[in-house]
Amino acid sequence: MKQIAVIGSGTMGNGIAHTFAQFNYKVNLIDINQSALDKAIQTITKNLDRQVAKGTLTDDQKAATLNNITTYTSIKDGVKSSDLIVEAATENLDLKLKIFKDLDEYAPEHAILASNTSSISITQIAAVTGRGDKVIGMHFMNPVPVMKLVEVIRGYATSDETTSTIMLLSQSLEKVPVEVNDYPGFVANRILMPMINEAIYTLYEGVAGVHEIDTVMKLGMAHPMGPLQLADFIGLDVCLAILKVLHDGFGNPKYAPCPLLVNMVAAEKKGAKTGEGFYKYTAGSKDLIVSDKFKKS
Ligand SMILES: NC(=O)c1ccc[n+]([C@@H]2O[C@H](COP(=O)([O-])OP(=O)(O)OC[C@H]3O[C@@H](n4cnc5c(N)ncnc54)[C@H](O)[C@@H]3O)[C@@H](O)[C@H]2O)c1
């Protein structure tokens, strides 16, 4: 494995490209949107500067990392000599099926096709390709350069060889890979999202306020961040999409998204990325300020 392609240069794609490039892989970072690619390079540069300031990376390593990344706006050009493609485009089933059809056509025959999807079935994605044995989930956590876990998801047809290649590759990035099977939400989001949904129900039913719910979970359960703050960080639209996958996939009402979450997404209050969710976010400020909507009178 030398040549990696990453599809999508948003929140996750830039972190995945950064991580592979830092560990000396050549990375082609691909997005349909040139401005997303420009923003990704800016973000990667800023994050590398932070590593240099902390003393965990040298200036030469920073330069080498940036030098390992080339950007493309065409999948066809960007994947043609790749050994592994990690897809991290928008969480949308039809979009991912289209991308994997293209990858199957344009990537070399030996290439492994991985998806960073949070919840979409790897088995379903694999079925649109002619190489189901080489399709796998490689679920990195946000922020990718910092978080140690890679949830490695075996689809119905994923081979042992593909799985062990991806487990070893993840270790070469100094990550800890964990192998799981392909069922809705895999492991991470099957457990995390019901907790976040329950925290939103607890607020919706007036049991406690935003600050109180997050404080109980932070101080009582030693979670680094409360579930409502975490939901804002992930994106409330992303949380809603994952809950719908769990609800549809298991047909169990316990996964039904809280109506408050549905309303907040409809109102474009999607968390940190839109400036407001359960908390209010202003550029440059690290203070955690509860949204006016949830302030106690
Ligand atoms: N945000 C998280 O915390 C998180 C965590 C783990 C996994 N994920 C998963 O990672 C994936 C990406 O999520 P994100 O938060 O980075 O999204 P994002 O919206 O930040 O970025 C998605 C990028 O994909 C690009 N894109 C859309 N269609 C494309 C196409 N056809 N070809 C190339 N690029 C295309 C968009 O221009 C955008 O830059 C999703 O599957 C998501 O479920 C997200």
Side-chain angles (χ1 to χ4, degrees), residues 111-182:
I112 292 179
L113 312 181
S115 177
N116 182 55
T117 177
S118 305
S119 60
I120 292 172
S121 161
I122 299 300
T123 303
Q124 200 175 351
I125 289 174
V128 299
T129 74
R131 56 176 105 181
D133 59 319
K134 293 195 180 70
V135 177
I136 193 161
M138 202 174 181
H139 186 202
F140 290 89
M141 305 292 134
N142 183 17
V144 182
V146 176
M147 297 292 279
K148 284 281 169 208
L149 178 70
V150 181
E151 196 179 25
V152 175
I153 303 123
R154 283 189 79 130
Y156 195 86
T158 310
S159 68
D160 289 345
E161 193 188 340
T162 298
T163 307
S164 62
T165 303
I166 294 302
M167 297 290 284
L168 286 171
L169 181 74
S170 303
Q171 285 166 0
S172 78
L173 303 172
E174 294 181 4
K175 302 288 185 205
V176 178
V178 175
E179 184 185 327
V180 310
N181 287 319
D182 182 27

Side-chain angles (χ1 to χ4, degrees), residues 6-16 30-37 39-40 72-75 87-92 95-96 98-99 102 115-120 138-144 189 230 233-235 237-238 241-242 273:
V6 178
I7 315 275
S9 67
T11 310
M12 295 304 289
N14 82 63
I16 296 168
I30 305 164
D31 203 294
I32 38 167
N33 197 336
Q34 182 62 47
S35 64
L37 288 167
K39 195 171 159 215
Y72 289 83
T73 49
S74 144
I75 288 190
E87 173 275 320
T90 313
E91 185 79 341
N92 174 296
L95 174 70
K96 295 206 191 273
K98 164 84 177 70
I99 289 175
D102 288 347
S115 177
N116 182 55
T117 177
S118 305
S119 60
I120 292 172
M138 202 174 181
H139 186 202
F140 290 89
M141 305 292 134
N142 183 17
V144 182
N189 282 314
L230 180 57
F233 182 62
I234 294 170
D237 53 335
V238 178
I242 298 170
K273 65 186 167 189

Side-chain angles (χ1 to χ4, degrees), residues 51-109:
Q51 288 172 282
V52 172
K54 268 198 200 158
T56 54
L57 216 64
T58 65
D59 278 318
D60 285 352
Q61 286 169 320
K62 174 193 156 185
T65 302
L66 287 172
N67 203 30
N68 281 338
I69 304 174
T70 311
T71 58
Y72 289 83
T73 49
S74 144
I75 288 190
K76 188 175 176 183
D77 296 338
V79 305
K80 64 177 181 234
S81 52
S82 301
D83 303 308
L84 166 72
I85 294 97
V86 184
E87 173 275 320
T90 313
E91 185 79 341
N92 174 296
L93 175 65
D94 292 337
L95 174 70
K96 295 206 191 273
L97 297 183
K98 164 84 177 70
I99 289 175
F100 274 78
K101 271 190 199 149
D102 288 347
L103 293 179
D104 197 32
E105 186 174 346
Y106 301 127
E109 248 174 62

Side-chain angles (χ1 to χ4, degrees), residues 214-226:
D214 275 355
T215 303
V216 166
M217 297 306 285
K218 269 195 294 193
L219 301 187
M221 319 301 155
H223 289 190
M225 178 186 292

